[in-house]
Amino acid sequence: MTSVRVIGGGLSGCEAALQLADAGYQVELHEMRPTVQTPAHKTDGLAELVCSNSFKGLAFTSAHGLLKEEIARCGSKLLPLAFESRVPAGESLAIDRDVFSANVKAALEARPNIHLIRDEVKTLDPDQWTILATGPLTSESLAQDLFARVAAIGAANGSPDAKRLFFFDSIAPVVMADSLEEEFLFAKNRWDKGDAPDFLNVPLDKEQYFEFVDALVAADTVEAKPFEKGQLFEGCLPIEEMARRGRETLRYGPMRPIGLHDPRTDKRPFAVIQLRAENAQRSLYNLVGFQTRLKWGTQKDILTKIPGLRTAQFARLGAMHRNTFLDAPKVLEPTLRLRGTKIFCAGQITGAEGYTEALSTGLYAAAALHAAIEGRENFRWPQGTCLAALTEHLTSPNPDFQPMNFNFGLLPSNPVWKKKERKERQIEECQKAWEGFDPMGLKTAESVEAAST
Ligand SMILES: Cc1cc2nc3c(=O)[nH]c(=O)nc-3n(C[C@H](O)[C@H](O)[C@H](O)COP(=O)(O)OP(=O)(O)OC[C@H]3O[C@@H](n4cnc5c(N)ncnc54)[C@H](O)[C@@H]3O)c2cc1C
């Protein structure tokens, strides 16, 4: 029996371990708690949810509902256990976290080919088949080993100085392109550099700018966790902190209008919010330099007062936390394999943010590793599905890579589709694409029906 090491008994690691055990592997699952604790986990339980107890929406028309349906159809092991632990929460899948963790433990213990080892893994072996699933709070020793390893991958690819592993995220809000009020924006690069404009610009006049700054100063921020205090970098301050340092600070920082004459008025606006495409299909844009700790409701309220953004739909809102994640576009292959090794990555360490995404990438990495062992090097999830879109986003070139939840902006869109029908068509294409797909080669017709949400 081939042996596989899974490092991390969290959401993605437990999903991967169960998948691989049922595919016939001997699985060594390493979990460092309780010997070594993380700053956010509270128990020694496997698959512990560190914060909210919700896996978010179930409706097909929500991004997380669609993703759940896809992984249910593709044989997720943890999702049915989440349903067994469900507590009432309307259209969402909320769970009793202790019952869920106990269910996961029982499922692992029921497989004689899973050996649970309670220890901290400090080094990786690139020649051993491994799933790396140590999450946003990967232990210090392992993070250092990984740091050295990804630096070597950088050196092998001709860029030894580039960062390959991050310890803190600073996320700016990301908006859906087709929710913007185009008539208020202009496309332009600063000083007209480059062949074609890569940026959309939201101009603000003096009054709008000062209203915005005053709102930022008065707004509520998310309280930093004790282990995150004192971790702000001067080069990456939250916008509300910049606003507090002076009413003009943002106008000389990320909102500087210099080199950005509005072609419609041929005047330089008083201040500008720049939007930069987040993906190749330009369906998502991030607000450049707008990392923030404002509460999510407050971010939406303040930003949607600005003409151009009044109807904006947010694919994700700004955040800043302690978070260990790889520079996935630079170090992972499309199969989530760490370049040049036998290590496949799953969960938050890949930059896929969220509980449902952790289960999904756990399943994906297990299937990709299984395929690699069987010599199917061209393994791909079917195009048009949620997981193909999410993993493509994680591994496509992106100089400002930051963690991302799954959202509709990542799914392929056909330019002939009308704006109103786009989501409906994406859902249809997605459902067609996953039909009959069996990533681990273990499904039966009954299991597919039973798994369907
Ligand atoms: C504070 C915080 C709050 C969050 N809140 C939410 C939320 O409310 N909703 C949401 O959808 N997402 C949330 N996330 C994001 C993310 O979805 C979760 O962190 C999710 O649990 C990630 O799954 P994972 O499998 O990647 O990591 P985890 O579930 O964290 O599992 C990783 C496991 O690896 C173990 N481990 C670490 N290092 C080692 C080592 N060297 N050797 C052995 N074991 C090791 C850890 O103890 C842990 O059990 C939050 C993240 C953080 C940091």
Side-chain angles (χ1 to χ4, degrees):
M1 220 190 256
T2 309
S3 154
V4 175
R5 180 154 88 144
V6 177
I7 313 176
L11 292 173
S12 58
C14 290
E15 175 72 45
L18 290 170
Q19 292 294 343
L20 291 164
D22 287 357
Y25 294 95
Q26 188 68 46
V27 179
E28 255 185 24
L29 172 60
H30 296 260
E31 169 51 55
M32 68 177 183
R33 290 175 291 118
T35 320
V36 180
Q37 267 298 355
T38 81
H41 290 82
K42 295 192 174 64
T43 71
D44 64 0
L46 297 158
E48 177 183 335
L49 302 189
V50 280
C51 189
S52 142
N53 68 333
S54 172
F55 280 84
K56 299 194 183 145
L58 281 170
F60 266 13
T61 45
S62 78
H64 282 88
L66 192 65
L67 179 60
K68 276 191 211 69
E69 179 65 12
E70 178 173 318
I71 62 167
R73 294 266 167 187
C74 292
S76 166
K77 304 283 179 193
L78 258 58
L79 193 58
L81 300 178
F83 274 100
E84 283 172 23
S85 326
R86 196 170 177 188
V87 296
E91 280 279 276
S92 300
L93 175 57
I95 60 160
D96 178 318
R97 68 186 78 223
D98 296 327
V99 173
F100 176 63
S101 177
N103 286 344
V104 173
K105 184 167 178 258
L108 292 162
E109 284 172 354
R111 269 99 173 158
N113 52 337
I114 297 183
H115 180 35
L116 174 62
I117 304 167
R118 296 282 188 165
D119 68 354
E120 179 195 9
V121 174
K122 295 186 177 169
T123 53
L124 293 165
D125 176 354
D127 297 320
Q128 181 175 13
W129 293 112
T130 302
I131 300 276
L132 176 65
T134 45
L137 304 166
T138 295
S139 74
E140 183 66 30
S141 318
L142 187 64
Q144 290 310 328
D145 180 72
L146 188 57
F147 193 67
R149 210 162 284 287
V150 293
I153 294 173
N157 291 305
S159 51
D161 300 331
K163 281 191 179 158
R164 307 285 174 206
L165 183 72
F166 299 97
F167 297 97
F168 203 80
D169 62 22
S170 54
I171 295 168
V174 174
V175 290
M176 314 278 272
D178 63 5
S179 68
L180 300 170
E181 298 170 299
E182 279 171 34
E183 63 277 25
F184 291 95
L185 316 178
F186 62 94
K188 200 182 189 45
N189 296 347
R190 204 177 293 278
W191 304 117
D192 289 315
K193 283 191 177 155
D195 297 335
D198 294 322
F199 292 84
L200 295 176
N201 302 281
V202 185
L204 282 83
D205 63 24
K206 192 171 177 180
E207 196 182 328
Q208 288 165 336
Y209 171 79
F210 285 121
E211 255 177 42
F212 175 66
V213 169
D214 292 342
L216 288 179
V217 171
D220 286 342
T221 52
V222 177
E223 180 74 17
K225 303 230 168 8
F227 59 91
E228 294 170 338
K229 294 234 163 91
Q231 295 224 30
L232 292 182
F233 305 116
E234 279 300 310
C236 192
L237 290 174
I239 46 169
E240 61 277 12
E241 176 62 24
M242 285 188 256
R244 275 188 211 112
R245 290 187 177 190
R247 290 186 93 211
E248 300 264 4
T249 306
L250 279 166
R251 215 164 80 75
Y252 288 95
M255 296 180 75
R256 66 193 180 283
I258 187 161
L260 286 173
H261 275 67
D262 186 339
R264 298 161 308 175
T265 59
D266 199 28
K267 290 206 174 102
R268 195 169 84 180
F270 190 73
V272 162
I273 300 176
Q274 281 210 297
L275 309 180
R276 181 177 46 222
E278 181 72 19
N279 56 359
Q281 64 194 94
R282 293 177 187 243
S283 55
L284 298 170
Y285 278 84
N286 80 59
L287 278 60
V288 180
F290 265 45
Q291 58 277 358
T292 174
R293 271 193 169 145
L294 292 184
K295 291 193 169 156
W296 284 358
T298 313
Q299 289 182 39
K300 274 192 194 163
D301 286 349
I302 295 180
L303 289 168
T304 53
K305 291 211 167 62
I306 298 170
L309 300 177
R310 288 177 304 194
T311 50
Q313 283 172 16
F314 292 83
R316 75 156 304 154
L317 284 150
M320 297 180 78
H321 344 91
R322 158 97 186 267
N323 191 352
T324 308
F325 63 101
L326 290 158
D327 192 351
K330 300 210 178 85
V331 300
L332 296 185
E333 295 175 1
T335 54
L336 302 184
R337 183 178 188 154
L338 195 58
R339 290 180 193 284
T341 71
K342 289 186 172 174
I343 301 165
F344 289 72
C345 302
Q348 180 93 24
I349 202 149
T350 65
E353 169 126 356
Y355 297 156
T356 309
E357 289 81 350
L359 303 193
S360 307
T361 52
L363 167 60
Y364 185 98
L369 181 145
H370 177 45
I373 290 179
E374 290 192 334
R376 292 181 280 117
E377 293 294 339
N378 59 352
F379 170 83
R380 289 287 180 282
W381 215 261
Q383 279 304 304
T385 54
C386 307
L387 256 174
L390 178 63
T391 50
E392 187 181 330
H393 175 75
L394 298 176
T395 55
S396 297
N398 182 348
D400 299 308
F401 182 69
Q402 287 290 333
M404 175 74 101
N405 290 104
F406 173 68
N407 63 76
F408 278 105
L410 300 180
L411 281 172
S413 175
N414 188 327
V416 302
W417 293 342
K418 295 199 182 76
K419 202 167 158 177
K420 272 199 287 189
E421 62 171 3
R422 198 189 66 160
K423 192 160 137 186
E424 205 180 310
R425 299 296 296 271
Q426 284 175 316
I427 295 171
E428 272 171 27
E429 292 301 315
C430 204
Q431 291 172 325
K432 262 192 260 164
W434 76 50
E435 202 52 56
F437 179 56
D438 186 0
M440 301 298 290
L442 298 170
K443 284 192 304 192
T444 59
E446 295 74 42
S447 69
V448 172
E449 218 27 68
S452 167
T453 53

